[in-house]
Amino acid sequence: NNILVFMQRLISSNQLDCTYEESVVSDTAYECQRVLGPHFPELQKEFSALSRYIGFNAFLHKVLDIDAEVFLSEEEFRIKEPIHVLISLMEQHPNVIVAECPEWSKEDFATRANFDIIDFFQHESKLSDELVEKEMRRLPPPPGSQILHVAGLLGLCDPRNQFI
């Protein structure tokens, strides 16, 4: 149990931003888990949860520019079901849905894009392969890829978890 407390303190002392020292702390936490995990199999579940928390926090902070520590503490992360973490993220920070393509947040763009997508799929079967490829390049990038990445970090990539 002292090992687990050490790992939790190591991680909680790290605010997971982009500085060299904090990157070393994350790397140290991962390395400790890799080395100690096989010797303490009863802690593997805890180590796995801590690893997910490190990855989740780093992604929120570095990619989505969200203060992950304020959004969700390590203890809250352990208690909440992954799907509820994802729902909370979208409720508290709805712009993450369009983070990689902010033009989707503009009503006229979204309306036009949805029309183009619907039109494409209604006519796709009637088009040649070359034309399908050309028309697909014309479509806007779909929103939500960052949310899908977060879902993966939370362990929701398993197809059985998609409908939880």
Side-chain angles (χ1 to χ4, degrees), residues 6-159:
F6 168 75
M7 296 297 294
Q8 288 170 329
R9 285 187 182 151
L10 181 65
I11 291 166
S12 66
S13 70
N14 179 13
Q15 296 303 309
L16 296 169
D17 70 15
C18 297
T19 66
Y20 171 77
E21 293 83 11
E22 290 162 341
S23 176
V24 169
V25 171
S26 292
D27 292 346
T28 303
Y30 280 125
E31 186 62 16
C32 285
Q33 291 177 27
R34 188 189 69 72
V35 171
L36 296 175
H39 301 289
F40 301 95
E42 69 278 4
L43 296 179
Q44 197 59 44
K45 185 177 178 183
E46 297 294 327
F47 284 171
S48 179
L50 287 171
S51 291
R52 278 196 318 277
Y53 184 67
I54 290 171
F56 174 77
N57 269 1
F59 186 79
L60 259 59
H61 181 75
K62 293 176 184 176
V63 177
L64 299 177
D65 198 28
I66 294 172
D67 187 345
E69 295 288 324
V70 171
F71 170 68
L72 195 67
S73 72
E74 189 258 335
E75 185 176 336
E76 291 170 314
F77 185 83
R78 289 174 172 280
I79 294 169
K80 277 188 162 186
E81 290 294 324
I83 191 69
H84 294 133
V85 172
L86 195 60
I87 290 168
S88 293
L89 177 63
M90 289 187 290
E91 287 175 346
Q92 293 177 34
H93 302 278
N95 285 341
V96 301
I97 296 168
V98 294
E100 73 284 2
C101 46
E103 60 273 3
W104 275 94
S105 63
K106 298 175 184 140
E107 186 177 348
D108 54 328
F109 175 88
T111 301
R112 194 173 57 253
N114 281 317
F115 175 79
D116 290 344
I117 291 168
I118 290 167
D119 186 56
F120 171 79
F121 283 107
Q122 285 178 340
H123 298 100
E124 177 187 22
S125 64
K126 299 172 188 164
L127 302 174
S128 68
D129 290 344
E130 285 178 20
L131 202 49
V132 165
E133 186 139 341
K134 181 181 175 186
E135 289 297 310
M136 281 184 72
R137 278 188 251 127
R138 195 176 59 82
L139 294 175
S145 65
Q146 305 295 12
I147 289 296
L148 293 175
H149 187 79
V150 170
L153 292 171
L154 295 171
L156 294 173
C157 285
D158 184 335

